[in-house]
Amino acid sequence: MSQPGVSRDAFLEAAAGIGRALCRQAYWDREGRLCNWVGRSILEAARPGDPITPVAAALGPDLYGGSAGVALFLAQLADVTGDGDCRRTALGAIARSIRQAGRLPPGGVRPLSFHGGLVGIAYAAHRIAALTGEHALNNQVETFLTTTATALAEPHVLDVMGGNAGAIPALLALGRVERWRHARTLAVSLGDELCRTAVPRGSGWVWDVEKACGPGMGGVQLTGFAHGAAGLGLALLELHAATGRDEFLEGGRAAFAYEDELFNPAVGNWPDLRSPGPAGGGTPAAQYAAAWCHGAPGVGLARLRALLLDPASREEYVATARTALSTTMGTLEGAAQLPRADATLCHGLAGLAEIVLTAGYWLDDEGYRDAAGAAAAGLIAKYGVRGDWPSGVPSRGPNPSLMLGTAGIGYHFLRQHDPHRVPPVLVVVA
């Protein structure tokens, strides 16, 4: 079925154009074995509202903003198109990520982080091995899993972005491979920690915000996917589906219950509780985000995945997801009218369209599929000829990464082309 305004082949051509540009822009070592990129950095503005000073930096080794994420996109593109340059560059990028992850000093790469650490690099290496047939990459997965297991006894956060909740689905996916069955055991240990550290509050569960997210994130349990209750609850439901253990089901539902108590029907959204209170005391005005990371889109994505994991609560999850999707589509339509809106996965247009596309297939709703296709077609019409895709850094300057840059935009176009062959990227399906 063609999407409104653009054919599936046009989506593939847009993804391929991004892939070709990334291959041209890669910096290779002298032996031609390892490659990386330079891009604008999110550190261009230290705090919201600060002046933007353009900053360029080499990518780190991680999945979220580093060479592992670019490698994953290029490997997925090569699998669909057979492009040899994309395959070679994907292998050079993941080899560079693996080497850097092993060489950085302690703390340089967080072992338990999916988006920023070893779990994500291991997951990407395994995916790329399967896509390219370079199965020697899997030898590094074992090393990273061993390091990750020892890190459980060290200080770490609990949320999707940096800790347990992000690692659990990836470890469950890796644990399906016989040689890595211990990855499943590690995922269960991380879930046990989530249950052990949770604090009941009414019908909900909450976590100490500094333990869950690290310092500087506010004083109460956050809502949303990347750092909040949506991501924590979903991780527990993933574990319940994998193990059948009732405490994981109870915890997942309780995390969602806490979040749903904070829903504001007047704005169709959940508050972004990262905002600090005013200097003079008192209660700050509620702030609302609308992205994968914070706000209704990520909440909706968590419920969409949950309805496949906890069918007894399906009706409730579908209702919440549709409410969140209404806000998501409104945000998508509004942002598309802006002169140069962020086009990326984490907090941009591709991420919003990706969530709506996922809803279209998981809810079997053609309206959502068409809306997502129209949004992606709009991005191609606006930026495809020049390839000047607005990134997720403050200046919107060029960035090649998965979650903040062009690799993620290209990945979404691949999903638009063939969502059955190309798996979701904003949520790990174990």
Side-chain angles (χ1 to χ4, degrees):
M1 181 190 74
S2 295
Q3 300 288 8
V6 67
S7 70
R8 290 199 172 190
D9 286 343
F11 287 130
L12 179 58
E13 180 52 37
I18 289 173
R20 289 191 295 269
L22 287 169
C23 290
R24 289 193 304 269
Q25 295 158 3
Y27 291 87
W28 289 85
D29 69 351
R30 291 180 180 179
E31 290 76 28
R33 295 184 302 105
L34 311 174
C35 67
N36 194 27
W37 290 263
V38 172
R40 291 286 184 87
S41 169
I42 200 167
L43 300 177
E44 290 180 330
R47 295 179 299 274
D50 280 359
I52 296 172
T53 302
V55 175
L59 300 193
D62 57 284
L63 187 70
Y64 179 94
S67 48
V70 184
L72 180 59
F73 162 62
L74 290 174
Q76 193 73 66
L77 178 61
D79 178 65
V80 173
T81 65
D83 187 289
D85 285 343
C86 287
R87 181 182 184 277
R88 171 178 176 262
T89 308
L91 292 172
I94 194 62
R96 183 262 174 181
S97 288
I98 289 168
R99 191 184 75 160
Q100 286 296 101
R103 289 187 172 190
L104 288 175
V109 177
R110 292 172 289 177
L112 282 169
S113 175
F114 175 71
H115 287 280
L118 292 186
V119 172
I121 297 171
Y123 175 82
H126 177 55
R127 282 273 308 275
I128 293 166
L131 291 166
T132 63
E134 292 291 331
H135 299 295
L137 289 170
N138 285 325
N139 296 332
Q140 299 299 322
V141 174
E142 181 68 36
T143 300
F144 288 160
L145 288 176
T146 299
T147 304
T148 299
T150 62
L152 186 57
E154 301 170 0
H156 58 274
V157 296
L158 305 175
D159 62 14
V160 163
M161 187 59 70
N164 297 35
I168 284 168
L171 290 170
L172 289 174
L174 291 171
R176 290 188 170 184
V177 179
E178 183 61 34
R179 66 190 285 195
W180 302 324
R181 293 294 292 173
H182 56 290
R184 173 188 168 100
T185 303
L186 177 56
V188 172
S189 296
L190 294 174
D192 287 338
E193 183 182 23
L194 290 181
C195 293
R196 189 170 61 249
T197 55
V199 179
R201 202 193 84 167
S203 61
W205 279 15
V206 299
W207 287 263
D208 175 85
V209 70
E210 188 160 320
K211 173 65 176 171
C213 311
M217 297 293 281
V220 295
Q221 170 69 59
L222 302 183
T223 64
F225 197 91
H227 298 289
L232 290 158
L234 181 60
L236 289 169
L237 291 181
E238 294 280 4
L239 281 168
H240 169 71
T243 67
R245 285 175 48 180
D246 289 341
E247 61 268 40
F248 294 143
L249 178 63
E250 176 190 354
R253 289 174 173 175
F256 288 173
Y258 162 79
E259 190 167 61
D260 289 343
E261 289 174 3
L262 298 172
F263 175 68
N264 184 340
V267 296
N269 206 342
W270 291 256
D272 181 352
L273 299 173
R274 293 173 297 167
S275 304
T283 303
Q287 302 293 315
Y288 294 89
W292 165 82
C293 45
H294 297 279
V299 172
L301 180 63
R303 302 310 191 274
L304 286 168
R305 176 62 180 155
L307 66 88
L308 304 175
L309 302 169
D310 179 16
S313 300
R314 178 183 173 87
E315 185 174 341
E316 177 185 347
Y317 296 148
V318 169
T320 303
R322 288 194 181 277
T323 297
L325 286 162
S326 178
T327 299
T328 302
M329 290 200 297
T331 303
L332 187 57
E333 291 168 5
Q337 305 308 312
L338 298 175
R340 191 167 171 78
D342 178 356
T344 63
L345 286 178
C346 183
H347 35 260
L349 290 163
L352 299 176
E354 173 65 26
I355 290 168
V356 175
L357 178 71
T358 300
Y361 285 94
W362 288 358
L363 294 176
D364 192 20
D365 189 313
E366 188 173 359
Y368 290 140
R369 296 196 293 270
D370 288 346
L379 278 175
I380 293 171
K382 201 168 185 178
Y383 302 108
V385 173
R386 292 180 301 164
D388 182 25
W389 307 96
S391 73
V393 305
S395 69
R396 303 288 181 258
N399 181 290
S401 70
L402 183 69
M403 295 298 286
L404 296 176
T406 51
I409 299 168
Y411 196 104
H412 174 63
F413 293 152
L414 277 182
R415 290 263 298 148
Q416 289 280 359
H417 170 70
D418 192 345
H420 302 293
R421 181 172 184 171
V422 182
V425 66
L426 293 181
V427 62
V428 174
V429 178

